[in-house]
Amino acid sequence: MVNHGRQRSYYERYFIHRIIITMVFVSLSHATSSKLENNSTVCSEFLSCLKCAKHASCSWSLDIQTCIMTPSSLGNLTVNIEGHCPQFSILKNSVLRDELFSYTVAVSNDKNNFVKFLQGHKITCNLEEEELEGYILNEEIKCNTKKLTAQRDKRFKALMIYHYHITIDDNIILRFNNDSDNYFMYYDHECNRSWRDEECVTCMWSGYGYKNYFKRCSTENRCVGQYEYYGKWRLNNYTAVTTGDVGIDGGVRLECPEAEIRSVEPMTAPWLGGTTVRFSVVNHHILAEGNEVAVTVAGRECSEPKTRRMASGAVTSISCTMMPAANTDRRRNHEGPIRLLYTGDLPKVSITSALVIGLVDPVITDMSPRCGPATGGTMLRIGGRFLNAGTTLRVSVGDYATCDPVAIYSDLILCRTNPASVDGPTAARVNVVFDGQLSKYVGDGSVVFTYAAVPALDPGQSLQGIASGGTAVQLRGRHFSCLRYAMFYVRHGERVHYTSCRLVNDTLAVCRAPKLEYGRGSAVMSLKYGLRVQDPEYREMDLLPPRDPHGYSLHADPVFVDFVTDGRTLTINGRDLDRGYRPQDDLTVRFRGSGGMCDVTSTDHRRIVCVPSTNGSVTDLGTVIGVIVTIGDTFACVVKRKADGRSRGLGGGPPYGVVTGVKIVCLVAIAMACIAVYRTKARHRVGATASAASAACTNPTTAVGYRNK
């Protein structure tokens, strides 16, 4: 119980410590983030209470209508919480002809008694360039009434837009939370309120020390018809900018959601031109009515713009074709926005996209596979950079065929070859043309695609191998170069045995003989064989020899008896020593112990002759007690010296053939004698004895296992 109590006390202290550490960490994080915000926020840039009070380091001063750094102690007229900002609303934002109009601003959410503060100060209402007296009445800021007369513009019906603002003590502008509260409309006839803004574009934005207001209505507006208005004021004192100062940069750039460019494609285009660019514009039909429209893409002219109104009505889809680069403009890999310029009555109006289009120079580096059948259907993978630049793509293989694009990415083109006009084999460069203008070759022309003919095996090859397998089998044929892989197979009974192959060139495949069962004393077996291959499209097929009466000849493993030496050469004795393999490709002889090589000079059915390698470690053959003979990859055998082998061999005593002949004669005589004596009593015993004697003479070899490739 004591231990449990201590453990619980430990966990309680641990939990409390973790809480304290977490609280400290959160406090430090908050302090750090606040410090970072303090260092990066410029409070004076925010010109309304709502925008200012969103930032912890800023506070809105109601008495001077300015955003300041939050002081250590807040006064009654300082707001640093967004929810404490006063709310302003214009009770009436339009007036009819010959109507007395009073600009009235209702104030709500007045938690700091701002209206009471205003009662003791001078209020001035500024209507364009005219000043009217203002006053406070029942939580409202009211301006003296005035009868307005429309300044008619012959181009449009009588809609007028007036700019209104209120100052405190002549020099402090009352900043509304919504810029639209500074404007009201004048109509010379009664107009349904719901019709006033239909088929109209209204933009308000601030920047570079100015605030801007733009409104344009189309002829479909049922209140005033076609109308356009633009006003620009300095943010510090709301003085108007004259018309002559507007459009110095070639037009008024609209910045509002009601007039913007959306959904630009493609995002990259070949620098040489010819790309069809597609994008959508909000309220383009209103801005373009009665105006000329010019489109530029990344500073390049985009000709013959075509428009189509979308189902939503407010959005218009536009497509145009980029003009080729001028001789003076050879820039590559640069970017720029789409710009629409509406030219008619001054001022000119422009829209610039937030998205930019890169003018790039595509690079094609590699391709795979590099060959395929002339019948087509090969899927080419073309790699590089900026491969999705533009809108159209054409891939061709020389003058023989095209390759239909399946998928296009920035770093990969997938296309499927069409049937070629040649049977093959024919190699050609692969060409990619972007937007009908910019032509590129894979690897700058160093990489070619080969239309290959159907692969086939040559007739009458007479292949062979030994039972242990692993020896080299050379298959001759044609059109191997386009194969992905090949496997050699042999039919043995009801089974099919496969081994791997190496495709050396277009006409040669080097394979390994399979390991097959072979009964002792059996004759050479003739088996059917073939080559299973896979084309570049991973389709498998079997290649069969057209004419091969011998098939694949299966031989028994060679039998090694012993070896003898005359001091200069070494002779290995046995039977079937030169069958079922190619000695020059598969046969190696090494000295046991030292590992030195013995170079083979000749082979026949019963013996192999070799001499020590010139750079070997064996200098005295008389000291060699064993050699290791290896055939192919899987057969190896240790051969020992013959007990009396010093005087045998080439010129060292009776030839091996003579000795063997004498042995055979003796065995035959003994066998005949035994048969005569025991014919009636123990015929089966005599046969067993003769077989044992024969086996004891012909099998002195020792296997040492296999080595795999």
Side-chain angles (χ1 to χ4, degrees):
M1 294 298 292
V2 175
N3 291 337
H4 285 294
R6 290 179 178 177
Q7 186 177 17
R8 183 173 60 186
S9 176
Y10 168 76
Y11 282 120
E12 288 176 352
R13 292 196 302 270
Y14 174 76
F15 181 70
I16 293 172
H17 291 165
R18 291 295 300 270
I19 292 177
I20 294 174
I21 292 173
T22 303
M23 293 176 62
V24 172
F25 176 77
V26 171
S27 300
L28 290 176
S29 300
H30 179 72
T32 302
S33 62
S34 299
K35 185 177 181 180
L36 291 174
E37 183 181 1
N38 291 339
N39 292 334
S40 61
T41 303
V42 180
C43 298
S44 59
E45 292 182 351
F46 307 116
L47 298 180
S48 71
C49 182
L50 289 179
K51 294 179 181 178
C52 174
K54 287 181 179 180
H55 303 270
S57 59
C58 300
S59 297
W60 184 255
S61 176
L62 293 173
D63 53 345
I64 60 175
Q65 291 290 292
T66 303
C67 189
I68 60 175
M69 294 290 294
T70 301
S72 57
S73 59
L74 299 177
N76 292 334
L77 294 175
T78 304
V79 178
N80 68 340
I81 298 175
E82 185 179 357
H84 291 178
C85 289
Q87 302 296 314
F88 304 101
S89 58
I90 308 302
L91 299 186
K92 189 175 182 180
N93 59 5
S94 65
V95 62
L96 286 175
R97 182 179 57 183
D98 299 329
E99 179 183 356
L100 289 177
F101 176 71
S102 175
Y103 191 73
T104 302
V105 181
V107 183
S108 60
N109 195 48
D110 188 10
K111 299 182 179 298
N112 295 74
N113 294 319
F114 178 56
V115 174
K116 184 177 181 180
F117 164 78
L118 293 177
Q119 289 176 348
H121 293 268
K122 178 183 177 182
I123 305 296
T124 304
C125 301
N126 298 270
L127 174 61
E128 301 291 344
E129 301 297 331
E130 185 177 359
E131 295 182 353
L132 301 173
E133 183 180 351
Y135 55 94
I136 304 298
L137 179 64
N138 298 329
E139 303 299 322
E140 294 178 350
I141 305 172
K142 301 181 71 68
C143 298
N144 286 341
T145 59
K146 178 177 176 59
K147 185 176 181 179
L148 301 176
T149 302
Q151 303 297 321
R152 292 181 178 273
D153 190 322
K154 294 180 180 180
R155 297 175 300 163
F156 312 119
K157 296 180 181 180
L159 165 68
M160 285 298 296
I161 297 175
Y162 288 92
H163 181 266
Y164 224 122
H165 71 277
I166 296 173
T167 57
I168 305 170
D169 294 337
D170 292 332
N171 60 352
I172 299 175
I173 297 176
L174 179 61
R175 305 286 181 173
F176 297 139
N177 294 318
N178 190 344
D179 284 341
S180 63
D181 291 338
N182 287 120
Y183 302 92
F184 71 93
M185 313 300 172
Y186 173 92
Y187 296 94
D188 68 348
H189 62 283
E190 187 66 44
C191 178
N192 189 315
R193 184 177 297 273
S194 62
W195 294 352
R196 292 179 180 180
D197 289 324
E198 67 178 10
E199 286 296 310
C200 293
V201 178
T202 303
C203 285
M204 289 176 288
W205 70 98
S206 299
Y208 307 105
Y210 297 93
K211 73 170 185 173
N212 301 264
Y213 184 95
F214 174 83
K215 186 179 183 72
R216 181 179 173 90
C217 301
S218 75
T219 54
E220 297 180 12
N221 180 275
R222 288 180 284 181
C223 277
V224 297
Q226 190 179 49
Y227 179 81
E228 183 175 302
Y229 171 83
Y230 174 67
K232 184 176 183 179
W233 292 267
R234 293 178 175 86
L235 280 173
N236 60 342
N237 55 15
Y238 281 179
T239 57
V241 177
T242 61
T243 306
D245 294 334
V246 176
I248 297 177
D249 60 346
V252 176
R253 178 177 171 179
L254 304 183
E255 299 179 30
C256 66
E258 291 192 43
E260 66 178 1
I261 297 174
R262 300 176 179 174
S263 63
V264 176
E265 63 175 10
M267 297 304 297
T268 56
W271 68 273
L272 197 57
T275 299
T276 298
V277 180
R278 299 180 178 88
F279 54 96
S280 59
V281 185
V282 181
N283 289 322
H284 168 77
H285 66 287
I286 299 175
L287 299 172
E289 185 180 44
N291 290 331
E292 295 182 0
V293 181
V295 185
T296 57
V297 177
R300 187 88 58 80
E301 179 185 353
C302 201
S303 66
E304 300 179 358
K306 298 178 177 60
T307 62
R308 180 173 60 88
R309 290 280 296 273
M310 307 297 287
S312 63
V315 179
T316 300
S317 175
I318 301 178
S319 63
C320 60
T321 302
M322 290 181 57
M323 297 295 290
N327 293 331
T328 56
D329 184 10
R330 313 302 291 178
R331 294 176 297 166
R332 307 185 187 189
N333 297 332
H334 72 282
E335 62 184 18
I338 296 176
R339 185 170 184 260
L340 281 170
L341 180 63
Y342 301 91
T343 304
D345 296 315
L346 293 177
K348 299 178 181 178
V349 175
S350 69
I351 302 177
T352 302
S353 65
L355 300 173
V356 296
I357 293 181
L359 301 185
V360 298
D361 188 17
V363 177
I364 303 176
T365 56
D366 203 358
M367 175 190 70
S368 67
R370 297 193 179 184
C371 55
T375 55
T378 303
M379 183 68 75
L380 295 185
R381 300 174 59 88
I382 301 173
R385 302 188 300 274
F386 308 123
L387 300 184
N388 60 345
T391 52
T392 63
L393 194 73
R394 184 180 184 273
V395 184
S396 59
V397 182
D399 298 328
Y400 307 114
T402 57
C403 192
D404 294 335
V406 175
I408 303 172
Y409 308 96
S410 62
D411 58 350
L412 179 66
I413 297 173
L414 296 178
C415 68
R416 192 178 301 278
T417 60
N418 289 313
S421 58
V422 293
D423 295 332
T426 301
R429 297 185 300 173
V430 176
N431 179 240
V432 182
V433 179
F434 299 86
D435 291 329
Q437 296 286 336
L438 185 62
S439 176
K440 293 282 186 176
Y441 286 97
V442 177
D444 292 330
S446 62
V447 177
V448 297
F449 179 82
T450 302
Y451 274 116
V454 178
L457 294 178
D458 290 345
Q461 301 197 51
S462 299
L463 307 180
Q464 60 179 346
I466 62 175
S468 293
T471 58
V473 178
Q474 294 187 354
L475 281 88
R476 297 286 178 177
R478 54 190 182 276
H479 313 313
F480 289 169
S481 58
C482 277
L483 301 178
R484 285 188 175 272
Y485 76 85
M487 297 184 70
F488 176 63
Y489 67 88
V490 175
R491 296 186 180 276
H492 187 239
E494 296 182 354
R495 295 185 59 188
V496 180
H497 301 264
Y498 291 89
T499 59
S500 61
C501 297
R502 180 172 59 91
L503 297 170
V504 179
N505 52 43
D506 195 50
T507 61
L508 175 63
V510 177
C511 310
R512 288 291 155 185
K515 182 178 181 180
L516 302 171
E517 294 182 2
Y518 188 93
R520 284 290 178 184
S522 301
V524 175
M525 302 176 65
S526 180
L527 307 175
K528 292 183 178 181
Y529 70 91
L531 192 66
R532 175 160 293 183
V533 298
Q534 188 180 77
D535 68 9
E537 290 300 293
Y538 301 95
R539 293 173 296 202
E540 291 187 345
M541 66 179 75
D542 287 340
L543 306 183
L544 302 176
R547 295 183 305 277
D548 193 348
H550 302 290
Y552 176 79
S553 298
L554 177 61
H555 297 267
D557 287 342
V559 177
F560 295 94
V561 179
D562 53 26
F563 73 85
V564 295
T565 180
D566 60 358
R568 293 179 294 106
T569 62
L570 187 144
T571 302
I572 302 172
N573 303 307
R575 66 172 184 272
D576 298 331
L577 302 187
D578 62 347
R579 297 181 181 179
Y581 69 98
R582 294 163 56 90
Q584 64 271 29
D585 296 330
D586 297 309
L587 178 62
T588 59
V589 180
R590 293 181 290 111
F591 296 107
R592 190 176 185 184
S594 67
M597 301 297 298
C598 190
D599 298 334
V600 177
T601 58
S602 65
T603 59
D604 59 27
H605 182 57
R606 291 194 171 274
R607 59 185 172 179
I608 298 173
V609 180
C610 66
V611 296
S613 176
T614 55
N615 57 357
S617 58
V618 175
T619 57
D620 184 6
L621 291 178
T623 62
V624 176
I625 60 174
V627 294
I628 301 174
V629 180
T630 303
I631 299 176
D633 291 340
T634 58
F635 182 89
C637 183
V638 174
V639 184
K640 297 181 179 179
R641 178 195 291 272
K642 187 174 178 62
D644 56 347
R646 295 184 179 215
S647 61
R648 298 184 184 275
L650 298 178
Y656 177 79
V658 175
V659 175
T660 303
V662 172
K663 289 182 178 180
I664 293 174
V665 171
C666 293
L667 290 173
V668 171
I670 293 172
M672 292 177 65
C674 292
I675 291 171
V677 175
Y678 299 105
R679 177 178 296 176
T680 58
K681 294 183 180 181
R683 181 175 300 173
H684 62 285
R685 294 172 58 190
V686 173
T689 304
S691 297
S694 176
C697 295
T698 58
N699 289 304
T701 59
T702 304
V704 295
Y706 303 108
R707 64 183 176 91
N708 295 323
K709 182 177 179 181

